[in-house]
Structure formats: C-alpha cells, structure tokens
Amino acid sequence: MSYMAAQTLQQPGFLLANLKADSSTKPLILRCQELVKIIDEYPAKELHTIFPWLVETVFGSLDGIIAGWNLRLLHSRSNEYNIVMEFLNPSGPMMKLVYKLQAEEYKYEIPVNYLPGPVKACIQEGVLPDCPLFHNKLQFPLSGLLMLNLALNPFEFFMFNFAYCLITPKNYPPGQHASSTDSAYFVLVDTYLKYFLPSEGNVPPSPFSDSRGSVTAPSPRSSSVSFAGYGVHSPSLLKHHIFHQPSVNADPAAQEIWRSETLLQMFVEIWLHHYSLEMYQKLQSPQVKLALLQYRLSMSSMPCQPHAPPGSGTLHTYQEPFSPTEEHVLVVRLLVKHLHAFSNSLKPEQLSASPSAHSHTHTSPLEEFKRVVMQRFVQQKLYLFLQHCFGHWPLDASFRAVLETWLSYIQPWRYTGEKTNPQPDQNRTVPDKWESFVQENLLVYTKLFQVFLNRAVRTDLVNAKNALMVFRVAKVFSQPNLAEMIQKGEQLFLEPEHVLHHRQPRYLTPNQGGSFLSSRQRVVTDMVFRVKSQVYALEGQDCQYKQMFGSELRGAVMKLIQIIAQARQTAKRISDHSNEVAANTSFLSWFGLGSSDLNNTFAGAEPEDSGEVLKKTHEFLDRALENLCQIFKLNQGQLTQLISNLSSSQDDGNSKQLPDCIHGENGLILTDLGRRQIINGLRRFDIHYQGDPELQPIRSYESALLVRLFYKISSLVNNRFGGHMNALCSRPDLLGRLGRHYLTDPDSTVRAVHSPLSRRPSERNREPRLSLRVLASYRTLLLLLLFYAFGALLSFGPVSSTLLILTGGFLYGLFMMLFGDKLKTH
C-alpha cells in the first residue's frame, strides 16, 4: 500500500484508473476488501476523485445504462449478498467514506433533468421548489435553466443515487424480475430506515471524526423554514424565485437529525413526487400562476439574465410518463409502515402537547420530527402517488401491492407496537385517539375508496385474488368506530363557510370573559378549519367533494353488491360444472371414450378457478357482502331480496345467450352491461375454432415434437397423392365411402362462420387428406404402448401387433361406415 500511495501522490488519477481496471478482472469480494483498505488509509482529497465513480459502480448510472451491482436482483441465496450488505451497511465502509468526505465539505453535481417531473418543471419555470432539500443547491450555467445542476454534499449524493436506483429502468437478463422483498435493495432500505429513523433511542452519531471534530450538518434548515414550512402547509401562496434562494443560517436543533431529514426527504421526493401534467396544473393556484407571470416580466427587464430556450413553459417542460412497478410500490409500503411505527413511538406527553406549548419545552429534535413526519413530509405526495396508481394500474391481481400500501397508510393503529389487545382484526375497535388522523387524511379514506369502487365493478370478481382485494377493503373499513370517524370528518368539511369567519380568540379562558361553551365551539371551529385546509390543499379550492356516505356513493355500493352477487353465482356454476365433469370423467374416458371437444370449456373458468380456489372466492365475496352491509348500514332483508331476485333472473339458459349488445353500423357493439356479463362469466359468445384443424395450437396433451413431425409427413403425402385421394373419395361405391371416412372431416361441411359482425353462414368443403395428428396425442401413444405390451405377453412380435392394429382400425372404420348413421340417430 505504501508503494501505491507514493504512486498516487505522483499521479492523482492512478487510484481511479487502478480501481476501474480491477472492476473488470477481480471478483467482488477482493474488490470490496481493497476498497475497505483504501477508505481507511487514503486521505479525503484522493477519495474525493473516486467517490462518484464508486457510487455509480454500486448503484448504476442514472440513465440505466450501467447496471452496477444489481442490488434489486441480489438475493440472500447469492454468494455476494453478505459481502454487499456488509459493505453498504449504515455503519460500514461505504458510509464511512461518505462521512469522511462530508467533513471536507465536497460537492457533487446531479443534473436537474433527473429530478422528478414536478420538481424539474418547477425549477425550469424559474420557481424554487417547496422542498428545502433543493434550496441553495442550484448551480446556474451560462447555457440556461434547462442545463441546471444540483450541488449535493456526499451524504445527499449517496442517498440520491440509492433512492434513484429503484426507479431507474434497467435491462435485466431474461427471466429475472426485481420484485422480491428479500432482495439486497429492499433489505437495505429497511436497514437505513431503522438506522436513521429509529423508533427507540437516537440516531447513532457519525463513526468518523477528524481533527475538527464530528461531522455536522452542511446545510441546516433556514431559521425561517421550520417544520411547519415543509410540505403543503406553507402560509404563503407565492413561491420564491430560484434566483432569490433564501439564505441558510445555522440552526443548532437541526444538527442532530439532519441525516434523518435528508434521507426521508430524498426517499419521498424520488419515490413519491410524481404525477400527471393535469394534476400539476391543478395544484398551481391562481396566485402562483400570477407570481410566475410577474417574475417572468421582471426577469425579462433585467439586462443580464440566463437565457431560457423558447417554449420552456409548463406545457413543454413537464413530461413525466410515470408508471411505477410492483417493486416500487412494495418499497413505498415499507416506507409507510416504518414511518407509522416511527411516528407512533412518540412519547404520549409529546404527542398531546400543542405546538405553542411544545416550543417552550425541552423536546429533542427527533421527538419533534416524529410528531410532524407523516403530515408535513408524506401526506400530499403519497396521496397523489396512490391516486395515480389507482387510476392507471392494470385491472389484474398485481394491484394488490398498491391496495396494501393504501390500507397500511390508513391504519396507523396497526403499527403502535402494542401487543396487549388480543382481539382479532375484524373485532378491534379503532381507538378515539386516531380521530384527528382520520380527519386530517379524509380524502385518503373517502376519495380513494370511491376510486376503488370504480375499479372493483370493472374487475373479474370470480378470480379469487380479485375477490380477496374487495374483501380486504371491506374488512378494513368495517372496523368498529372507523366509519363513524369518517362520517364526522365529512360533517366537519361540509360545515358552512361562515363558521370560519366568526372565530373567537383561540385561547380565551372563562376567567377572561369566555365560557366553556365557547371553548367547545372554538375546538369544533379549529377542527373544521383543519379538515377544510387539508382537503383544499390536496384537491384545490374548486374541488367537488363527494360524500362517502352520500346517496350517490350508496348507489355505487349497491351496484357493486349486485356484481358481487353475480360473481358468487358464476363461481358456484363453475364449481358445479367442474364437479359434474369430474363425476362423469372416469379412467376409461382417458382411453378415448370421453369427449375430446377442444371448445368444451366453461365460460369464465381459468386453471386456478377450480376446487378449493372457488370455495375461497365464494367465502371472500360472502364476507365482503357482510362487511359492506355493516359499513353502509344496509338492510339485510333488502339485500337478501336483491340477491334472490338476481338469482331468479339468472338461470342456466341465460348463460347461453349472447352478451348485451346494440346494433351499430358495423354490427354488434358490446354495452357496459355486456362487458360485465363477459367479465363475470354470465354470458359469452359461442366461439369455435374454424381454421385448418392441422394448424390448431398444440395442446397440453400432445407432444409438440410429434405434432410437427407428423404434420410434415402428412403434408408430403398429401402433396404427392392428393389427386388420387380426390379420385378415391369421389367414387360412389364401398371404397369411396371408406375413403371419405378416413380422409375427410365429417364436420367440415356442417360448420358455419358465426360472427357478431356477420350473420351470413358460410360453408367450406375441405379436400380429402391424410391426418396423422391423432398419433401425437399422449393418450394414443399410451394405448399403443399398452397394446404392444399386451401383444408381447401373448408372444406377438412388433410386426404382428402392427398388423393387428391396422386390421382393427380397418374393421372399426368399416363398422362406423355401415352403422355410424344409425348409431347417431339413436
């Protein structure tokens, strides 16, 4: 190492070049061991040059071209898993390098183009983002606003790349998908959250200190930007211009938890701060738009200003085709669950303290951070994230990840760490202390529930996984006391506006001329103000609020109940059909005596929708109905009558009718009712395969190799002797009839084209040809094997057995030719 250090002093780039060369030749364990020695022995000046390359090597490049260590694919079964986890541990070598560089106050640039869409658009509009994380970090190049960079300190740079690794599109090897919760990345997120946002104790101090002392916060909060200024609750409607960034003054209270704040803000901004252009424009209030216009006019009058290209307005700069993956949502759920546990670990005396009184008590910054973390840092961005997922996620079972993230957020009482309540989930009463949380997150309960209803009525509820999601939502909202809390929150929001204009002094006591009645009125007024401000902050001043327990949503719930009842009947019908088929199918049918109709499948049936799975579907839907009746106080008698009427109208013959359609210019067009009938398996189109029988898809009971081989052989024979086959089948005598039996399809002249777009049947006569595809069936092969084995027991050779098989086939064909019509008649 001494020789290497001497070489490095002579050639500053030698260390980086040496590490780049080793990255392609040495195994990971040797590279990590060498990196540990370098981090321990080299000064920060030399480590500064390798830090950006090392971060990119570990997490991959921001554009996704360099994959890095593939943390999202690295699982505990891998040999490299423990090496990576030890190197990236919060108290491991990589973090030691971060703290070592942090002490020297180095900066590393990130292009603004890699920021989330709303933040990037805000900066390119010339407005300072709300999040203090990006304050005093903008670097202004001469090329204009579109080429801006962020100057981040080592810890911020490390966490930005770590968080961005989750949303970077990567080209993974075929067959590998990053969605497991035991990947190195998922475990590292959990480890960092527990380390920097501890539920018990304080954040461990930096393990590195130099001659100047411990590492301190390089960018503490501004004295004018407290916790109350974070998030959506800024008292000012006018934004700061990016050229007027507020100065940052040292805040001693911020030194203790600056790493916790940085990590949380980085995770929230990178993972959650994404939404559509329509939502971006909706969140821009008229005052903000006026401020933008004023700033543009003032900047245009300045003699020296950065040049912004034409068309750099919101409509042109905001482009975010955001499509979160299931892995992304699972990590967000991990974040939500940990933040609930982190916030709920707040001491009861601090939780009940008012903000005014709280400022005069000796409370640690971490306790203050716990008190405001969900409302000030997470609420708005998580709500918009979930709303986007609810509206854009496919209608399949993968939505379960989004659903559980939502249900985790709206049930903070599940993450209190208390183990004293033995009641099951469905009987556990929601404590009254959570009433303020429900009111402050009213839209997360009511608006997202309405969006979920719209998804549920368009989902195949016969599928057990979809039925489970409906049951989960109904079960959560049926918890005792929760519906009452939501109703009270809606009543507070719907209070007339004049209530807010007659507010009395907030802290007027009875000795000062007040009364206990006025004190209660002040509390109610404060609650009204809080609920209204939360709703308007999330949906805008012009939002049209729909009550969760109003008549309109009640009608939507009744519609869902009808669809649930239909799905129950369909599941029962599929189950009965499966049982009937199983009862009629015996071992002999496998030997050719049963039906082999490829189109004889029941509508709505899937491989997983059978047996025990259908029983689960019925159970989930039954319990969902019970919970919905409990939530919306539905009359059980009316519900029973509704289901019985539906049952009487949906008989077996109904399922054989066409789905509900209307006649259009080009034929039949499915209505919404018809689509639901198809989704729930109530009706279907009678569809048969009408192409070349030889070209049908290879079935599971056929050998793909033999199907292709016999098709080639039969094609050669048909091409060579096609004329002779036509002549043979054209003869009116016995040989002609026998040829037609073996070389033609008896149903070829019966099948007609039945299409909703064309009601004209058509007939197609197929030419005589040889078909050997039946020999590729496993059933046929087993029969032949058994016959040859039986012949061997009787001392028949292969040739004799083959002749017997051919003779038997000829006699069977002769018998069917002579008596087949009479057998069909009977």
Side-chain angles (χ1 to χ4, degrees), residues 59 70-77 81-82 84-86 88-90 162 166 179-196 263 267 271 327 330-331 334-335 338:
F59 301 125
N70 279 330
L71 300 180
R72 292 157 57 185
L73 290 179
L74 192 62
H75 297 278
S76 56
R77 300 177 296 273
Y81 177 85
N82 292 330
V84 171
M85 296 301 295
E86 182 178 352
L88 297 177
N89 192 276
F162 176 73
L166 178 64
S179 61
S180 177
T181 56
D182 66 343
S183 67
Y185 187 84
F186 193 91
V187 176
L188 278 174
V189 171
D190 186 44
T191 304
Y192 288 162
L193 288 174
K194 291 177 180 177
Y195 186 89
F196 293 106
L263 175 133
F267 284 179
W271 294 344
E327 180 196 17
L330 289 174
V331 173
L334 175 66
L335 174 66
H338 182 83

Side-chain angles (χ1 to χ4, degrees), residues 703-721:
S703 169
L705 177 64
L706 293 180
V707 168
R708 297 186 178 97
L709 176 63
F710 288 138
Y711 177 75
K712 292 180 179 179
I713 295 175
S714 59
S715 297
L716 291 174
V717 174
N718 292 329
N719 293 333
R720 181 73 179 272
F721 302 103

Side-chain angles (χ1 to χ4, degrees), residues 606-769:
E606 295 184 6
E608 70 247 20
D609 292 341
S610 59
E612 295 298 326
V613 178
L614 287 173
K615 292 182 181 179
K616 290 183 179 180
T617 300
H618 208 279
E619 178 184 354
F620 291 148
L621 296 178
D622 279 343
R623 295 173 67 181
L625 284 176
E626 295 175 4
N627 292 329
L628 288 173
C629 291
Q630 181 180 345
I631 297 169
F632 294 94
K633 305 295 189 294
L634 301 179
N635 187 295
Q636 191 67 30
Q638 295 178 350
L639 180 64
T640 304
Q641 183 65 28
L642 174 66
I643 296 177
S644 62
N645 293 340
L646 186 64
S647 300
S648 61
S649 62
Q650 301 285 348
D651 54 3
D652 291 340
N654 198 20
S655 63
K656 298 180 181 179
Q657 300 175 7
L658 289 179
D660 189 67
C661 302
I662 59 175
H663 290 279
E665 296 180 358
N666 298 322
L668 297 179
I669 301 175
L670 273 175
T671 63
D672 291 338
L673 175 60
R675 293 187 182 93
R676 290 198 298 271
Q677 289 171 339
I678 292 178
I679 289 175
N680 292 308
L682 300 174
R683 298 186 184 182
R684 62 170 176 169
F685 291 105
D686 193 15
I687 300 175
H688 295 277
Y689 181 82
Q690 296 174 347
D692 188 349
E694 293 297 302
L695 299 179
Q696 292 186 67
I698 298 174
R699 308 300 189 211
S700 60
Y701 54 80
E702 294 178 322
S703 169
L705 177 64
L706 293 180
V707 168
R708 297 186 178 97
L709 176 63
F710 288 138
Y711 177 75
K712 292 180 179 179
I713 295 175
S714 59
S715 297
L716 291 174
V717 174
N718 292 329
N719 293 333
R720 181 73 179 272
F721 302 103
H724 299 285
M725 294 180 186
N726 285 330
L728 176 63
C729 294
S730 300
R731 296 175 57 169
D733 55 6
L734 181 64
L735 287 178
R737 295 173 59 188
L738 196 60
R740 287 191 293 271
H741 174 77
Y742 284 108
L743 300 177
T744 61
D745 183 3
D747 298 329
S748 62
T749 59
V750 177
R751 290 181 181 172
V753 178
H754 299 284
S755 171
L757 299 180
S758 176
R759 295 185 174 275
R760 295 176 299 176
S762 63
E763 295 185 355
R764 289 178 290 182
N765 294 319
R766 303 189 187 278
E767 295 182 353
R769 60 182 176 180

Side-chain angles (χ1 to χ4, degrees), residues 230-244:
Y230 285 18
V232 300
H233 308 288
S234 176
S236 174
L237 292 174
L238 300 181
K239 310 282 186 178
H240 294 286
H241 196 269
I242 58 174
F243 296 116
H244 303 153

Side-chain angles (χ1 to χ4, degrees), residues 111-127 129 134 145-146 148 273 280 317-320:
V112 170
N113 288 334
Y114 290 109
L115 295 179
V119 179
K120 178 173 63 176
C122 195
I123 292 175
Q124 292 175 350
E125 280 288 341
V127 178
F134 305 113
L145 295 180
L146 292 180
L148 287 172
H273 202 170
Y280 176 80
T317 59
Y318 189 93
Q319 296 177 353
E320 174 128 13

